């Protein structure tokens, strides 16, 4: 199965921010939308970085609350691991696990088209296993 299968159920809604947004604005966005990361991109949908709850906790832990007044560009992860809708879900899950990150932007022709989280991947995998188990039960009871 591919990332496209996850996005077809989840949708392509994307919450982004500009690189000059203050960290306090990012916190408000995360809270408002109940999400764990925001993709930082330009107006054309090119990914410049990503900032997660972990990034925010790390910078506040070292710099204190004054860090909330800094632009997200100084805190965000600039080398972002991305995928496409054609990527295999198992490969994406392995990348997230190995890289110890929970959110991955999805690109098409270099432009942002979605974001998936490790929760989305796990939810999809569980649904897939449950469907296979139900199919197996149906096959056994028909035999």
């Amino acid at each position: 199965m591919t990332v496209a299968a996850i996005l077809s159920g989840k949708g392509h809604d994307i919450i982004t921010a500009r690189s000059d947004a203050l960290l306090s604005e990012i916190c408000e966005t995360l809270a408002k939308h109940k999400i764990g990361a925001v993709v930082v991109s330009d107006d054309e949908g090119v990914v410049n970085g990503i900032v997660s709850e972990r990034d925010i906790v790390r910078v506040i832990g070292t710099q204190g609350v004054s860090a909330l007044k800094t632009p997200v560009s100084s805190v965000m992860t600039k080398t972002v691991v991305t995928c496409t809708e054609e990527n295999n879900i198992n490969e994406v899950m392995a990348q997230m696990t190995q890289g110890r990150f929970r959110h991955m932007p999805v690109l098409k022709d270099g432009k942002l088209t979605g974001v998936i989280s490790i929760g989305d991947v796990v939810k999809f995998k569980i649904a897939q296993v449950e469907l296979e188990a139900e199919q197996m039960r149906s096959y056994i009871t028909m035999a």
Side-chain angles (χ1 to χ4, degrees):
M1 298 303 276
T2 64
V3 170
I6 293 174
L7 290 177
S8 70
K10 175 186 177 175
H12 290 267
D13 294 339
I14 309 165
I15 306 299
T16 62
R18 296 181 53 86
S19 60
D20 60 350
L22 298 180
L23 207 53
S24 61
E25 295 173 279
I26 301 299
C27 291
E28 291 171 12
T29 299
L30 293 173
K32 178 181 176 184
H33 297 284
K34 298 179 179 153
I35 55 177
V38 173
V39 176
V40 180
S41 68
D42 63 19
D43 294 335
E44 287 80 43
V46 174
V47 175
N48 301 123
I50 190 166
V51 63
S52 70
E53 296 164 322
R54 286 181 184 172
D55 297 323
I56 295 166
V57 168
R58 192 174 302 116
V59 73
I60 291 174
T62 59
Q63 297 178 18
V65 295
S66 64
L68 294 173
K69 296 177 185 173
T70 61
V72 69
S73 60
S74 64
V75 177
M76 69 185 185
T77 300
K78 294 177 182 159
T79 306
V80 182
V81 178
T82 63
C83 65
T84 68
E85 291 187 18
E86 292 77 31
N87 281 111
N88 180 288
I89 291 172
N90 291 335
E91 293 169 356
V92 168
M93 187 167 54
Q95 283 182 300
M96 290 174 138
T97 301
Q98 183 179 9
R100 298 182 48 89
F101 55 88
R102 299 178 293 171
H103 300 87
M104 185 180 285
V106 182
L107 304 182
K108 183 174 185 173
D109 299 324
K111 307 289 182 181
L112 186 63
T113 62
V115 177
I116 60 170
S117 70
I118 193 69
D120 297 329
V121 173
V122 170
K123 180 180 173 183
F124 185 84
K125 293 288 286 181
I126 289 171
Q128 189 178 23
V129 168
E130 288 174 348
L131 176 62
E132 290 171 1
E134 180 56 38
Q135 289 172 339
M136 187 63 82
R137 280 191 289 277
S138 295
Y139 176 77
I140 291 170
T141 58
M142 295 197 54

